[in-house]
Amino acid sequence: MKYVDIEQVQKKMNSRVLINKLAKSLFLLSALFGLVILVILIGQVFIQSFGWIDMNFLTGKFSNDPNKAGIMGAILGTLWLMAVVAPVTMFLGVGTAIYLEEYAKKGKVRSFIQTNISNLAGVPSVVFGILGLTIFVRNFDLGSVVLAGGLTMSLLVLPIVVVASQEAIRAVPQYLREASYAMGATKWQTVKNVVLPASLAGILTGLILSLSRAIGETAPLVVLGIPALLIPFPGDILDRFTVLPMQIYYWTIDSALVAEYANLAAATILVLLVVLFTMNSIAILIRNKFQKRF
Amino acid sequence: MIDKNKKTISIGSITEKMVPGMLLAIATVSILTTIGILYTLLSETILFFTDIPFLDFYTGTVLKPLSSEAQFGILPLVTGTIISSVIAMFVAIPIGVMTAIYLSEYASNRVRRTLKPILEVLAGIPTIVYGFFALTLITPLLRTFVPGLEATNILSPGLVMGIMIIPMVASLSEDAMSSVPNSMREGALALGATKLEVTWKVVLPAAASGIIASFVLGISRAIGETMIVTIASGSSKAFTLDITQSMQTMTAYIVEVTGGDAPAGSTIYYSLYAVAMTLFVFTLLMNLLAQYISRKVREEY
C-alpha cells in the first residue's frame, strides 16, 4: 500500500522548484542592479569629461570661460582641508577610542559616550554645517576658512574613526596586554607600546575611510559659505578655500546656463572619484596586508 | 641607581595619572559636539518662535520667506522631504532586500566576495556625484517617459536617493539574515522546503527586526540627504503632492538660505534654525527607533 502518491508529489514539486529558480534570478538581477548603475554612472562621467581633462584643467585657475577653467584651487583646497582633518580626527578619534576601550569602566559614562557617538553618526551632515557656521565661522569669527571647514569636517567624521579604532583595539587579544603587564609595564606603557601598534592597521583603515568621506562631503561646506570659485590659491589654514565637490556643485547647477559646465563638472567628478578610489584601495590594502591575525 | 629608578617611576606615575583624565577630556568632545548642536539649534529656534507662533509654523502651508509679507509655514518643506524619502524607499527597500537575500542565501562565497565590494563602492560615491547623475542623466531620461515632468522635480532625486540607499539597506539586512542560525534553515530544508520557502518562511521572519531597522535607518538617511535634492529638485515652495513638480526639502531650504547670505538677526535667518531643529528631531527619532529595534533582535538569539 502506497502512502505517498509520487506523481502528485512530483507535480507539486516541479512548480515549487521552478518558482525557486525564478526567484533566484530575480534576486540575482537585484544584486546586479548596483553594478549596472555603477557602470552607467562611470560611463556617463567618462563620456562627458572626454577631451576636457588636460594639464591646463588640472593645474589652471578657476575661470568662467569653460575652455580656460582649471581646478588647481580646488585640489589645493582639498589638500589643505585634509591637513586639518587628518590630525584633528586622528587625535580626537583614537583618543576617544582608547578611553572607551581601555580606561572607561563599563557603566553609565561609557554607555553614555557610546550612545552619543552612535547618535552623532546619524545626524545629517547639513546640521554639522550649521554647527560649524554658528560656532566656528560666526562665534569664533574665523570666516569661511580652511580651519573652520576642517574642524567642522573633523566633528562630522569623528564617529567613523572612533568606531573603527574601537573595533581595532578590541581585536587585540588580552594575552598581549597581560604579557606587557607581566614585564612590569604600566597601563599607559601597555597601551602605547603594545595595544596601539597591534591595532594600527585597523585604525589607519578607519582614518583613511573617514578622510575619503570628508573629501566627498559637500553639504556642510555649502552651509559654511565655502566659495565655489576661487582665484587666489590658499596657502594657510586661515585662508579662504574651495574644494572639488564645491566646484562640481557650482558647475552642475550652472550647467543649465552654460552647457560646457556639465563637461567640467564631469571632469572634476572623474578626478574626485580617482582620488577616492585610490584612497579606498589603500585602506583595503592596509587592511588585508598588515592586519595581523592573532 | 635606585634613586634614578625612583625618579623615572615618579615621572611615569604622573603620566600614568594624567593620561586617563586627558583621554576622558578628548572623549567628551563628542558630547560637547552634541551639546553644541542642541545649543545652537535651540537658542536660535526659540528666537524664531518669538516672531512666528509655533502653531503657525507647523501648520502653515505657505512658505514665502522673501516676500514683503513673509510667511513661514514648514509644511511645504515637510511634504517635500517625506515625498522624496518615500520615493527613495520604493527603490531602496525592494532592491536592497532582494540583494541581501541573494548575498546571504543564494550566492556562492566567490560571488559574494565580488559583489559586496561593488556595493561598498556605490555607498562611497559622494552625494554631489549622485546629484549630477540625477540632474544630467536621470531627469532627461525620465522626461521621455513621463509627460509634464519639469526640469527640476522631486521624482528624479527621489529615485537616485533610493539608489544611494540600496547598499545601506542591503548590507544591514544581510547582516541580520546571516545571523539567523543555520540550524533553522537546515530544519526547514530537511522537511523538503525549497530555498525560497526557507528564505520566505524562516529566514525573513527571524531577521525581521534587523531588516526593519535597516529600513528605518534608510529613511533617516533619505530625510537628511542634502546635495541630491538641492541640485535636482529645485526650490519651489508650493504645497503640492505632484511628484512631477519641483519641491523643496528641509535640507535644500537650509542650503538655499545659507547660500543667500541671510542677514543675521532677520526672521529668515532664524527660520533656518527652526527648520534645522525640525530636521534634527526627525532624524534623531528615526535613529533611536532603529537602535531600539535592532537592540530587540539581539535579545532574541
Side-chain angles (χ1 to χ4, degrees):
Chain A
M1 188 173 155
K2 273 206 294 188
Y3 291 98
V4 179
D5 182 354
I6 296 292
E7 224 165 82
Q8 196 70 21
V9 168
Q10 210 82 42
K11 221 162 105 191
K12 281 203 168 171
M13 215 169 71
N14 282 343
S15 69
R16 285 166 56 217
V17 169
L18 185 70
I19 291 173
N20 180 47
K21 272 188 183 156
L22 286 176
K24 186 183 173 181
S25 5
L26 184 66
F27 298 149
L28 175 64
L29 282 180
S30 291
L32 291 176
F33 181 76
L35 179 66
V36 172
I37 291 288
L38 199 62
V39 169
I40 294 175
L41 207 161
I42 293 177
Q44 186 213 3
V45 168
F46 260 108
I47 292 167
Q48 290 219 23
S49 64
F50 187 76
W52 286 86
I53 297 185
D54 51 24
M55 269 329 262
N56 178 52
F57 177 73
L58 292 174
T59 60
K61 283 185 177 177
F62 176 84
S63 164
N64 279 322
D65 179 355
N67 291 311
K68 288 184 189 158
I71 55 168
M72 196 62 200
I75 292 176
L76 288 174
T78 300
L79 289 175
W80 272 110
L81 190 71
M82 290 308 103
V84 174
V85 176
V88 173
T89 320
M90 182 141 118
F91 180 73
L92 293 178
V94 179
T96 305
I98 296 173
Y99 180 77
L100 289 175
E101 289 301 313
E102 299 289 324
Y103 284 95
K105 291 189 184 72
K106 284 209 164 57
K108 278 193 177 146
V109 178
R110 189 176 187 274
S111 69
F112 181 66
I113 299 178
Q114 196 76 66
T115 314
N116 183 57
I117 287 171
S118 45
N119 282 332
L120 268 188
V123 173
S125 59
V126 69
V127 173
F128 278 94
I130 291 183
L131 174 75
L133 175 74
T134 315
I135 305 239
F136 301 129
V137 176
R138 295 214 168 112
N139 285 8
F140 292 177
D141 209 16
L142 286 171
S144 311
V145 298
V146 176
L147 187 59
L151 291 177
T152 307
M153 281 295 187
S154 301
L155 296 181
L156 174 67
V157 299
L158 188 59
I160 304 176
V161 184
V162 173
V163 172
S165 305
Q166 272 185 288
E167 275 170 15
I169 290 172
R170 215 175 298 146
V172 177
Q174 202 55 35
Y175 60 73
L176 285 185
R177 291 184 188 86
E178 282 157 6
S180 169
Y181 291 138
M183 300 295 286
T186 60
K187 182 143 195 169
W188 174 241
Q189 285 169 337
T190 304
V191 170
K192 193 177 63 174
N193 301 328
V194 177
V195 177
L196 282 184
S199 53
L200 193 63
I203 291 175
L204 279 182
T205 310
L207 187 69
I208 296 173
L209 290 181
S210 74
L211 283 184
S212 72
R213 170 86 193 278
I215 288 180
E217 266 294 342
T218 325
L221 295 180
V222 185
V223 173
L224 281 178
I226 304 302
L229 27 140
L230 190 86
I231 303 301
F233 291 160
D236 194 295
I237 56 166
L238 293 175
D239 279 349
R240 283 171 71 79
F241 72 113
T242 192
V243 290
L244 292 169
M246 286 301 302
Q247 209 79 84
I248 297 168
Y249 174 53
Y250 171 77
W251 276 325
T252 304
I253 50 174
D254 279 2
S255 63
L257 307 172
V258 182
E260 285 91 350
Y261 281 179
N263 302 92
L264 291 178
T268 317
I269 286 173
L270 199 57
V271 174
L272 180 66
L273 289 184
V274 167
V275 173
L276 293 183
F277 288 162
T278 313
M279 286 179 71
N280 289 353
S281 317
I282 293 172
I284 291 168
L285 265 182
I286 292 177
R287 191 168 59 189
N288 292 350
K289 287 248 169 187
F290 298 99
Q291 201 163 46
K292 280 180 228 151
R293 302 215 167 228
F294 297 105
Chain B
M1 194 184 139
I2 289 174
D3 276 348
K4 203 175 144 199
N5 270 349
K6 265 187 184 159
K7 219 179 195 173
T8 50
I9 283 169
S10 75
I11 292 171
S13 67
I14 290 171
T15 337
E16 214 52 47
K17 274 179 192 143
M18 279 172 59
V19 163
M22 282 171 59
L23 289 175
L24 176 61
I26 294 171
T28 51
V29 170
S30 68
I31 293 171
L32 289 178
T33 309
T34 308
I35 294 174
I37 291 174
L38 282 176
Y39 174 75
T40 49
L41 292 184
L42 268 178
S43 59
E44 317 274 328
T45 304
I46 288 167
L47 287 175
F48 176 76
F49 284 127
T50 58
D51 264 13
I52 307 288
F54 188 81
L55 267 180
D56 287 8
F57 182 63
Y58 283 110
T59 57
T61 56
V62 181
L63 181 62
K64 279 184 187 163
L66 291 168
S67 111
S68 53
E69 281 170 43
Q71 276 181 285
F72 292 93
I74 200 180
L75 285 184
L77 301 182
V78 171
T79 49
T81 304
I82 292 175
I83 287 175
S84 60
S85 305
V86 167
I87 296 172
M89 296 321 283
F90 264 108
V91 176
I93 288 180
I95 298 181
V97 171
M98 288 197 290
T99 304
I101 291 174
Y102 186 77
L103 290 177
S104 149
E105 306 299 317
Y106 287 90
S108 66
N109 253 331
R110 229 183 75 217
V111 175
R112 191 181 304 126
R113 273 203 301 269
T114 341
L115 276 178
K116 275 196 100 170
I118 293 172
L119 280 178
E120 280 172 28
V121 170
L122 213 55
I125 289 179
T127 55
I128 183 83
V129 178
Y130 280 116
F132 174 82
F133 189 56
L135 186 74
T136 62
L137 189 73
I138 301 297
T139 300
L141 194 70
L142 284 174
R143 287 180 93 175
T144 59
F145 298 112
V146 187
L149 192 70
E150 294 192 4
T152 53
N153 58 77
I154 202 79
L155 179 62
S156 156
L159 294 177
V160 173
M161 224 150 70
I163 293 172
M164 181 195 82
I165 297 171
I166 290 172
M168 186 180 182
V169 172
S171 109
L172 291 176
S173 301
E174 200 221 328
D175 285 347
M177 287 160 66
S178 317
S179 68
V180 173
N182 253 339
S183 55
M184 290 170 73
R185 289 189 187 85
E186 283 153 7
L189 285 170
L191 290 172
T194 63
K195 232 172 190 177
L196 178 69
E197 287 157 351
V198 173
T199 307
W200 192 248
K201 290 178 179 156
V202 177
V203 179
L204 283 185
S209 17
I211 296 172
I212 291 168
S214 83
F215 297 167
V216 178
L217 277 181
I219 295 171
S220 166
R221 175 75 78 81
I223 291 173
E225 166 40 44
T226 311
M227 293 324 291
I228 303 176
V229 281
T230 302
I231 289 177
S233 72
S235 60
S236 158
K237 294 166 184 63
F239 183 62
T240 171
L241 297 174
D242 184 354
I243 56 171
T244 61
Q245 304 292 309
S246 161
M247 273 186 223
Q248 196 164 40
T249 63
M250 295 193 271
T251 50
Y253 178 79
I254 293 170
V255 168
E256 192 198 358
V257 171
T258 50
D261 259 341
S266 62
T267 314
I268 299 181
Y269 171 78
Y270 291 132
S271 75
L272 166 74
Y273 289 88
V275 171
M277 186 77 207
T278 314
L279 172 72
F280 178 76
V281 171
F282 256 80
T283 50
L284 184 69
L285 288 179
M286 287 290 176
N287 292 331
L288 291 176
L289 180 65
Q291 279 171 30
Y292 172 76
I293 296 173
S294 60
R295 207 172 302 140
K296 274 183 94 179
V297 76
R298 236 172 272 152
E299 285 162 13
E300 278 173 30
Y301 298 119

